Amino acid sequence: MTIQPVRLFGDPILRARAAEVTEFDRELRQLVADLTDTMHDDGGVGMAAPQIGVGLRVFVYDTGDAAGHLVNPTYTVVGDEEQVGPEGCLSIPGLRYDTRRALRVRASGVDMHGNPVEFAAEELLARCVQHETDHLDGVLFIDRLDPASRKEAMRTIRESDWFVTGVTVRESRGAGQAGPFGRGR
Ligand SMILES: [Zn+2]
């Protein structure tokens, strides 16, 4: 197990655009393994590389029904139906807000070996693809909230112990706790 500390809101890497992956080497395979272990340990449904301090376009996901990773991901929205449901982020502990997302997307990218990957996603997996791809552009789910909820979220963040103390790295909480992204495991 190679569980990494998780970067928290306030860490500039969460607001930076991550770089395209160009080398499909052992380091990349290790990154995917670290992300997967850290996501599982934290009870998350998805995790993007910047959340463990690596500015590369990689994310992992495990909704219970589907699990995997995507390198240099992009997605296109399929149809115009939306979903509104609770969303959180392992990098913003304790916050959860109803967030509007496209109901269906088509995700594409490559795997850790550089082979093309494409899949259709809906509901939780579609939400995950949108949330994690946002991370790679420095966008957080609170940016997607309506102005009133966003204001409330920012107030909650500013009053959080971890934010007040200026901590931007959190050691993993260990398995078995409910994850803030999507549902608990
Ligand atoms: Zn997140």
Side-chain angles (χ1 to χ4, degrees):
M1 295 285 274
T2 42
I3 296 157
Q4 301 293 325
V6 176
R7 302 300 176 98
L8 300 180
F9 182 90
D11 189 315
I13 197 165
L14 295 175
R15 287 307 195 179
R17 188 183 188 279
E20 301 281 328
V21 171
T22 55
E23 299 202 20
F24 297 84
D25 53 10
R26 210 161 70 97
E27 263 179 67
L28 179 63
R29 294 193 291 277
Q30 187 62 50
L31 172 61
V32 170
D34 287 358
L35 277 170
T36 304
D37 288 347
T38 307
M39 170 184 68
H40 284 148
D41 187 66
D42 246 341
V45 169
M47 183 166 275
Q51 292 184 274
I52 59 168
V54 178
L56 289 174
R57 303 186 78 78
V58 180
F59 72 74
V60 298
Y61 60 92
D62 185 352
T63 64
D65 295 324
H69 69 277
L70 206 51
V71 176
N72 297 338
T74 59
Y75 69 84
T76 52
V77 172
V78 178
D80 54 13
E81 282 180 87
E82 293 183 319
Q83 54 177 326
V84 178
E87 196 166 313
C89 181
L90 294 169
S91 294
I92 315 177
L95 250 73
R96 191 184 277 254
Y97 282 92
D98 278 351
T99 307
R100 185 179 298 274
R101 297 283 189 181
L103 181 62
R104 295 186 186 85
V105 299
R106 181 143 205 99
S108 58
V110 295
D111 67 13
M112 64 176 108
H113 308 291
N115 300 314
V117 177
E118 203 180 320
F119 60 88
E122 58 178 34
E123 298 183 348
L124 180 60
L125 183 56
R127 180 179 294 283
C128 180
V129 166
Q130 292 166 83
H131 179 113
E132 304 308 335
T133 305
D134 268 353
H135 267 303
L136 306 180
D137 294 324
V139 175
L140 300 171
F141 86 98
I142 53 172
D143 304 335
R144 302 288 188 189
L145 302 177
D146 62 80
S149 299
R150 184 163 199 271
K151 208 171 160 190
E152 193 189 309
M154 283 308 301
R155 190 164 52 235
T156 305
I157 289 171
R158 281 195 298 269
E159 290 168 357
S160 298
D161 287 346
W162 56 267
F163 188 75
V164 168
T165 53
V167 173
T168 57
V169 178
R170 178 174 54 78
E171 296 300 330
S172 185
R173 294 169 307 175
Q177 299 198 29
F181 180 82
R183 64 182 179 218
R185 297 171 60 83

